[in-house]
Amino acid sequence: AAARVILANIKVAEAQEKIVRYNRGKMFIKHCIKDTDTDAERELSLRDVEPKKQYYLLDRIIQRTLETKELKQEREMVHQAAKIKEKEMMLDLAGFQTLLSSLENQKNLMQEKYGVGNEITPVFTPKEIAALDARKYQTMDKKEAEQLASIITEAEKKTSVERIQDLLQGAAKELEALLPQIPKKREPENSLLNQENPIRQLQDKTQEIASQNSAAEKNIQPAQNHVKIETTERVKTPFKDKGRSR
């Protein structure tokens, strides 16, 4: 909550600086003006449509008298666009101020609820630290830049992300302890989880058949060798008898 308040303060300061810069260069900021007759768009500033200043009253009167209707319409449209732009920035500032007030109230309520003093160490994420560092170089207030540098130095000393994770894990353990122990439902024996994988069964069956075939081949091999030996002896015997008879 303290970290969110600091970031909301930065948003308010940025919106205020934006308005200040706009007011400084208000005469030179271009606005897109659309012609009602031809639908053509032009970018004009207040300096482009404002009449040049004349030192003599008679010259100013003549200049106003000789102005065309188109020039007067353009001036009015540019002034209206400038007012709309300024109003939008004021609304943005009001929105950030409302958010800041809400976050400050939230932080104060949490301090009262948990009995925390004013000395609070904000916990920032790495992304928030990067935003603080960017603001440090963008601000026009030297005092604000020094405060942000001090905040960043203190934040970088701590492992902010790990601290947040520890807090979440601790809250999860406390929640588990508070919840009633719900007995786990017993899965039926014929449920899909208890059934063996059909592909695994097919692989086991294939291995079993392969092992049986291998054992059968081992038993048949000696018999085949015996048959071959007997056949060879029977074939050789007639040749020996013929040789002796001759």
Side-chain angles (χ1 to χ4, degrees):
R4 288 195 294 267
V5 170
I6 294 174
L7 295 172
N9 269 312
I10 290 176
K11 293 295 183 181
V12 171
E14 288 178 348
Q16 290 174 345
E17 288 182 0
K18 190 175 180 181
I19 294 173
V20 171
R21 286 194 297 267
Y22 176 79
N23 290 329
R24 287 179 181 177
K26 187 176 182 179
M27 295 296 296
F28 304 95
I29 295 176
K30 298 286 186 179
H31 300 279
C32 185
I33 305 301
K34 188 175 183 179
D35 192 350
T36 56
D37 298 331
T38 61
D39 291 339
E41 294 182 353
R42 299 176 59 191
E43 289 188 353
L44 299 173
S45 64
L46 292 174
R47 187 176 179 84
D48 297 331
V49 295
E50 285 291 342
K52 295 181 180 180
K53 293 183 179 180
Q54 300 292 340
Y55 293 101
Y56 300 101
L57 179 60
L58 181 61
D59 293 337
R60 290 199 296 268
I61 295 172
I62 294 173
Q63 187 178 11
R64 289 285 184 180
T65 305
L66 297 177
E67 275 186 347
T68 61
K69 184 179 179 180
E70 291 77 7
L71 183 59
K72 291 181 180 180
Q73 290 179 350
E74 285 182 352
R75 183 187 299 118
E76 182 64 25
M77 294 173 68
V78 173
H79 274 281
Q80 187 176 1
K83 289 180 181 179
I84 292 174
K85 182 67 176 178
E86 189 174 0
K87 185 178 180 179
E88 289 177 354
M89 290 189 294
M90 293 299 294
L91 289 175
D92 291 340
L93 175 60
F96 288 130
Q97 288 175 341
T98 302
L99 177 62
L100 175 61
S101 178
S102 176
L103 292 175
E104 286 179 342
N105 292 334
Q106 182 182 2
K107 186 188 75 171
N108 294 332
L109 290 175
M110 293 178 69
Q111 285 179 335
E112 294 176 0
K113 181 178 180 181
Y114 297 103
V116 181
N118 294 326
E119 297 295 331
I120 300 173
T121 303
V123 180
F124 296 97
T125 63
K127 186 176 180 181
E128 291 172 345
I129 293 175
L132 294 174
D133 189 65
R135 174 60 185 170
K136 180 181 68 175
Y137 294 102
Q138 293 174 358
T139 181
M140 297 184 296
D141 189 356
K142 184 178 179 181
K143 186 177 180 180
E144 182 186 1
E146 293 176 354
Q147 292 177 350
L148 291 175
S150 177
I151 293 172
I152 293 170
T153 302
E154 292 296 326
E156 288 179 345
K157 291 180 181 179
K158 301 177 177 62
T159 53
S160 302
V161 177
E162 293 180 0
R163 289 189 61 191
I164 293 173
Q165 290 178 352
D166 293 340
L167 292 173
L168 293 176
Q169 289 177 0
K173 291 180 180 179
E174 292 179 0
L175 183 61
E176 290 178 358
L178 293 175
L179 289 175
Q181 297 293 331
I182 302 175
K184 295 182 178 180
K185 295 183 179 180
R186 186 176 179 181
E187 298 290 341
E189 296 180 356
N190 58 349
S191 64
L192 294 175
L193 296 175
N194 294 329
Q195 290 180 358
E196 296 182 358
N197 192 347
I199 298 176
R200 183 64 180 175
Q201 291 181 356
L202 181 59
Q203 291 177 352
D204 296 341
K205 190 67 176 178
T206 305
Q207 292 178 359
E208 183 180 355
I209 295 172
S211 60
Q212 292 177 358
N213 292 338
S214 177
E217 289 177 357
K218 290 180 181 180
N219 295 330
I220 293 172
Q221 189 68 26
Q224 290 178 349
N225 295 334
H226 181 69
V227 172
K228 289 182 180 179
I229 293 170
E230 291 180 353
T231 306
T232 306
E233 291 178 355
R234 290 178 183 176
V235 172
K236 288 181 179 180
T237 303
F239 285 103
K240 290 181 181 181
D241 295 341
K242 288 181 181 181
R244 291 177 182 175
S245 63
R246 289 178 183 178

